[in-house]
Amino acid sequence: MKVDYSVDTYVIASVIISFLGFCLENIWICIRKGYIDNRNMTLPFLLGYSFAVMGIYFVLGTPGHPSLIVEKITARFDYFSYYLATFLLVSIGEIILGKTVERICGIYYWDYSSLPCI
């Protein structure tokens, strides 16, 4: 994967992604519970979204421009394979993060028991 972006571009993209993640989570809470909860954050950014998107970008690349790691594993990297790999990476990351927070802090941030099919 040839990278033509500067560090500034990655920082700006990270800020935008973090802000959009914050908005997405608050819209979800507003729809589900009827209020907005910033969870005591001073600024409207969730850095975890930025880490996830940038991490996937650096590990997988894009379907049109796969990373060197992906090119060595497979010669063909279509959209289905890309989205499947992204789904698996995000799911595994969420599970590891959730279990780590539960074990270290003893609190449950992600409780989806009230949702159907979970």
Side-chain angles (χ1 to χ4, degrees), residues 22 25-26 37-47:
F22 174 84
E25 285 209 5
N26 278 291
D37 179 14
N38 71 352
R39 294 183 305 222
N40 297 320
M41 289 182 272
T42 306
L43 299 172
F45 301 102
L46 290 175
L47 200 54

Side-chain angles (χ1 to χ4, degrees), residues 100-111:
T100 303
V101 168
E102 290 169 8
R103 184 167 295 219
I104 292 173
C105 301
I107 54 176
Y108 297 90
Y109 274 126
W110 296 276
D111 181 10

Side-chain angles (χ1 to χ4, degrees), residues 39-93:
R39 294 183 305 222
N40 297 320
M41 289 182 272
T42 306
L43 299 172
F45 301 102
L46 290 175
L47 200 54
Y49 283 91
S50 176
F51 287 157
V53 171
M54 290 296 173
I56 288 169
Y57 174 73
F58 287 119
V59 171
L60 297 179
T62 64
H65 303 287
S67 68
L68 295 175
I69 298 168
V70 173
E71 284 180 347
K72 290 181 185 217
I73 295 172
T74 180
R76 184 171 168 257
F77 196 54
D78 58 2
Y79 283 95
F80 178 76
S81 301
Y82 181 79
Y83 290 120
L84 180 63
T86 301
F87 170 78
L88 291 173
L89 285 173
V90 169
S91 297
I92 291 168

Side-chain angles (χ1 to χ4, degrees), residues 1 5 18 23 30 32 43 46 53 81 117:
M1 175 175 72
Y5 302 114
S18 297
C23 292
C30 188
R32 290 223 40 232
L43 299 172
L46 290 175
V53 171
S81 301
C117 302

